Amino acid sequence: MKPSVPRNTLNRRRFLKTTAAAGLVTLPGAHTLADAESPGRAQPVPHGRPARLGPDDDPLGVRATFPVTEELAYLNTASVGPVPVPVRDALHAYADNKMRRRDTASGRESIGRARTRFGNLFGADEDEIAFLYATSGAENIIVSAMDWREGDNVVVDELHFVTTFVLYRELERRSGVEMRIIPSRDGVVTVDDFAAHTDERTRLISVAWVSNRNGFRYDLPPLADLAHAHGAYLYADAIQAWGTFPTNLHDEGVDFACGNGYKWLHADFGCAPFYVRREHLEWMTPDRYGHSQVAETLPGQRFRLKTSAEKLQYANPAYGPVAAMDAALGFLEGVGPDRIAEHTHTLAGELRAGAEALGMRLFTPPDNPSAIVSFHHGLEPERLADALAEEGVSITFQEDGELLRAAVGMFNNRADVDRLLGVLAGLV
């Protein structure tokens, strides 16, 4: 049943008075407080980027590098992150080199640079990093390498991505392994919740480091301690985490983490950095084999295989996406993960407060250090979608259109957030 809008939901005029007094938001392209009394005087504001950008319009100095900002209030990086100009240029250069068959060594050089840059940005050693084609490849490799016994269990929670449930349902069917799914409470799953479901037969705890459903961000070290105390491993799906805050994977205590490049890394599909803590490299076996794993060719068609995380790369990498990853990581390094986190998390907090002021039922918990905000809007989904499209606002609808998920990227500014809130205010 569609969630209803609370009886005390703010209407548009009350929203203006309440939030303007708090310094929370101004509605772009809508009425000013004075215009609210005389709607005929309202002047529309174009959707495009202002001709001159001040520091408040572009706090990180990157909006001109993301042409999407000229057309949209793009609050949808949790779905697909737009590529910045340097990444587009890297893809163009790769395609041009391939077309003309010149500088043929550039692809291999991009792999080395990308691996070095990823390790430096995320606190991993280069021999702990493999480049897979998709995030789901990592968890499949882990499951394939482990020696499962009937009666073992894996602990996940309901905020995880659907691939994880598909994988472990199949493991249940094939091996008699139990998948334990923890429900969330108010959009949160705690370490104590995991502890209540973890025992001596738990082999793996798997979480979405930042949930794709509501942006809830896990504190990994306590989860790692819990898993290790029971002789289990911790895997983190990092596709909604890479690039959104500074981290050091060694300090996080996580055993494995993976995430593709096409969201917050602002790279492309087809290159998913996979971190494997060094202590697991000896027993971690590939789930398939090919020429790319060969370290040395021996007589009689025999081979010595690689022992680093590269042994999980069985075939040629996707050189185009790797070139994009190389350029994207260099770009992220220049902007700074700490600056990105401070900017996006602050704006996400303002968006959450604005949605709450409008009477929306929040799915994202308060004081949550991530760039994703999710809430049940209580409006007619098709009407809301049309209004958002009319105002040039891009977000994601989930749960049959009842749940709205917005994602604040490094290129977003307060005007983008205000535009979304303005559309909502006009419909409540």
Side-chain angles (χ1 to χ4, degrees), residues 174-405:
R174 290 186 175 188
S175 304
V177 171
E178 178 189 5
M179 175 171 56
R180 298 178 175 177
I181 305 174
I182 306 171
S184 68
R185 290 174 293 179
D186 300 320
V188 172
V189 181
T190 68
V191 175
D192 288 342
D193 294 329
F194 275 93
H197 289 77
T198 302
D199 58 29
E200 70 280 358
R201 296 300 302 272
T202 301
R203 303 293 309 285
L204 182 68
I205 293 176
S206 176
V207 297
W209 194 344
V210 174
S211 171
N212 73 293
R213 293 187 59 202
N214 71 341
F216 175 66
R217 176 175 157 189
Y218 288 89
D219 185 16
L220 293 188
L223 280 176
D225 291 343
L226 173 66
H228 299 159
H230 289 84
Y233 306 117
L234 175 63
Y235 169 71
D237 179 335
I239 197 168
Q240 301 288 3
W242 297 148
T244 65
F245 53 85
T247 189
N248 183 298
L249 287 164
H250 290 159
D251 293 342
E252 297 289 351
V254 66
D255 297 289
F256 316 100
C258 187
N260 214 327
Y262 66 88
K263 294 185 188 285
W264 302 93
L265 292 177
H266 299 287
D268 199 7
F269 295 86
C271 182
F274 180 24
Y275 165 75
V276 179
R277 186 174 288 272
R278 177 177 288 103
E279 64 196 72
H280 305 311
L281 287 173
E282 185 174 352
W283 65 263
M284 176 69 74
T285 55
D287 64 344
R288 64 200 73 186
Y289 292 86
H291 74 277
S292 188
Q293 295 155 325
V294 174
E296 181 183 4
T297 301
L298 305 174
Q301 286 75 49
R302 297 183 183 278
F303 310 93
R304 182 177 64 82
L305 301 184
K306 296 174 182 177
T307 57
S308 70
E310 285 188 76
K311 70 182 181 179
L312 305 175
Q313 301 172 192
Y314 64 94
N316 284 328
Y319 283 107
V322 169
M325 178 65 72
D326 177 29
L329 291 172
F331 181 76
L332 284 171
E333 187 176 29
V335 179
D338 52 343
R339 296 178 67 227
I340 293 170
E342 181 180 6
H343 170 60
T344 60
H345 296 180
T346 297
L347 276 186
E350 293 181 9
L351 172 56
R352 187 191 185 285
E356 189 170 36
L358 285 168
M360 306 295 168
R361 183 161 61 89
L362 273 297
F363 189 26
T364 299
D367 303 318
N368 182 58
S370 87
I372 297 173
V373 178
S374 180
F375 51 88
H376 295 274
H377 51 77
L379 302 168
E380 200 284 309
E382 186 172 349
R383 183 182 176 215
L384 176 56
D386 288 344
L388 291 169
E390 176 68 22
E391 291 298 318
V393 179
S394 178
I395 54 86
T396 290
F397 286 101
Q398 298 178 317
E399 297 185 5
D400 297 322
E402 306 293 345
L403 187 69
L404 185 152
R405 184 189 69 188

Side-chain angles (χ1 to χ4, degrees), residues 8 26 33 37 39 58 67 71 83 96 98 134 155 173 216 227 249 258 264 303 316 318 327 366 372 421-422:
N8 62 349
T26 301
L33 189 55
E37 305 302 328
D58 191 13
E71 302 174 5
V83 297
D96 197 52
K98 189 171 187 293
V155 182
R173 186 185 70 81
F216 175 66
L249 287 164
C258 187
W264 302 93
F303 310 93
N316 284 328
I372 297 173
L421 290 172

Side-chain angles (χ1 to χ4, degrees), residues 78-95:
S79 177
V80 177
V83 297
V85 171
V87 175
R88 188 276 313 271
D89 291 347
L91 284 165
H92 182 99
Y94 164 76

Side-chain angles (χ1 to χ4, degrees), residues 104-121:
T104 55
S106 63
R108 292 187 294 274
E109 293 169 356
S110 292
I111 296 172
R113 279 197 308 269
R115 183 173 281 109
T116 298
R117 282 173 165 164
F118 184 87
N120 289 340
L121 271 171

